[in-house]
Amino acid sequence: MVPPLVSWLFGASPRSLAPALYGLSRRKHRCVRDALRNGTWVQELRARVSPPLLESFVALRVLLELAQLSPGMRDKFTWRFSSDGVYSASSAYRLQFAGAVESPFVQLIWKPWATPRCRLFAWLLAQNRLMTADRLLARQWPNDYFCPLCMRNLETTAHLFVECPLSRRIWEKVATLAAAPTLNPATWDVHHMVVDWLGCLTRGRPNAEASRVRSWAMLVLWHIWLERNARTFRASTSTLESLIAKIADEAVAWDRMGGAKISSPRE
């Protein structure tokens, strides 16, 4: 028996050529030989084809009359997603990603070494899913409006992590601490999307160094968010020096946990 999607009619199938007619068919899995014998498929559709379907019916009938069957040859299955026509688990797996769009999150977030919570946090940040004041305003939920780090501007993800004066001082200190010049705000271009900004931090850098810088970036982003929450929910404020000390201590802890030795530049 030939499944509906097998391409036996000049590289196509009746289902793809005339989907509306296929929907009217009562025996969708009939083999080619039985369908063509004495025009059986025509008799089955008789009195069921409406005027709008006549054009499709005639076009399909012309193609079927041109089809030549080989006596004694049995129908066979062909897997059209592999070069040899044979099904394999690997080809089925690759098929799941057909038409997929490559995401920058793999290189920016998931491959660099970081703790799971930092990776998940960075992933939410890159998708603008953090509940900053601008998102709370859009939902008409209670919010404090101003950035809790500088109390000057509306709190958005771009402002909190990239534009805020305190955040930029943190990045400047960490750039020296990590020996990673691209983390210094003086080297940044203007970007409206956080994910674009993350990508530019390591553009043109060797893979190993890029991975180390991305790990540092996720660590700093996480601590800026912790400080933001401390000021918002607990009215607790840390000095710049204490924030840098916390970041440095956790970088050393990441090294001890089996991280990518982010606390010192790679050779």
Side-chain angles (χ1 to χ4, degrees):
M1 301 296 290
V2 178
L5 290 180
V6 170
S7 301
W8 56 267
L9 187 62
F10 303 104
S13 65
R15 178 180 180 177
S16 62
L17 293 170
L21 292 177
Y22 175 83
L24 295 177
S25 175
R26 294 189 180 93
R27 298 184 58 186
K28 295 179 173 58
H29 296 281
R30 175 182 291 160
C31 68
V32 177
R33 180 188 59 194
D34 292 344
L36 295 183
R37 181 181 295 144
N38 299 322
T40 304
W41 73 278
V42 175
Q43 297 174 22
E44 180 185 314
L45 290 175
R46 186 173 297 168
R48 303 188 72 200
V49 179
S50 60
L53 297 179
L54 282 177
E55 184 177 350
S56 296
F57 176 83
V58 172
L60 180 60
R61 180 164 187 175
V62 169
L63 289 175
L64 289 173
E65 289 178 350
L66 296 175
Q68 299 293 324
L69 300 181
S70 301
M73 181 176 293
R74 297 176 60 85
D75 295 336
K76 64 178 181 180
F77 292 98
T78 300
W79 180 248
R80 60 192 178 97
F81 300 105
S82 61
S83 58
D84 56 3
V86 178
Y87 171 83
S88 66
S90 60
S91 65
Y93 178 78
R94 290 193 298 270
L95 180 61
Q96 306 304 313
F97 300 95
V101 178
E102 185 176 355
S103 170
F105 297 159
V106 175
Q107 295 294 332
L108 296 180
I109 297 172
W110 302 120
K111 281 192 174 182
W113 201 97
T115 56
R117 64 181 182 182
C118 287
R119 284 180 175 174
L120 179 59
F121 166 77
W123 179 68
L124 293 172
L125 168 62
Q127 297 182 94
N128 194 29
R129 298 294 298 275
L130 299 180
M131 283 301 172
T132 47
D134 60 329
R135 297 196 73 212
L136 296 174
L137 279 172
R139 291 165 172 74
Q140 298 183 352
W141 291 352
N143 65 90
D144 295 330
Y145 190 86
F146 290 106
C147 167
L149 302 187
C150 67
M151 300 301 295
R152 298 179 184 178
N153 300 85
L154 169 66
E155 183 195 48
T156 65
T157 54
H159 171 80
L160 179 63
F161 296 104
V162 181
E163 302 167 358
C164 174
L166 177 59
S167 295
R168 294 177 74 89
R169 290 176 65 193
I170 294 173
W171 286 109
E172 183 179 351
K173 295 288 186 180
V174 170
T176 302
L177 175 67
T182 56
L183 293 180
N184 192 321
T187 66
W188 297 349
D189 296 326
V190 177
H191 295 283
H192 300 291
M193 302 291 291
V194 172
V195 67
D196 295 332
W197 166 76
L198 279 171
C200 286
L201 290 181
T202 55
R203 183 169 297 169
R205 308 294 293 181
N207 290 338
E209 176 63 13
S211 181
R212 190 181 75 88
V213 172
R214 289 165 185 157
S215 294
W216 269 107
M218 284 190 280
L219 178 58
V220 175
L221 290 169
W222 174 244
H223 276 274
I224 291 175
W225 183 247
L226 291 180
E227 178 63 18
R228 176 263 188 196
N229 289 342
R231 296 190 181 197
T232 301
F233 301 113
R234 299 192 299 275
S236 174
T237 301
S238 299
T239 63
L240 176 63
E241 291 72 20
S242 63
L243 284 172
I244 299 302
K246 291 177 184 178
I247 294 172
D249 289 344
E250 187 159 353
V252 173
W254 281 20
D255 286 350
R256 293 174 179 173
M257 291 167 60
K261 297 298 181 186
I262 72 167
S263 62
S264 59
R266 294 190 177 189
E267 298 298 335

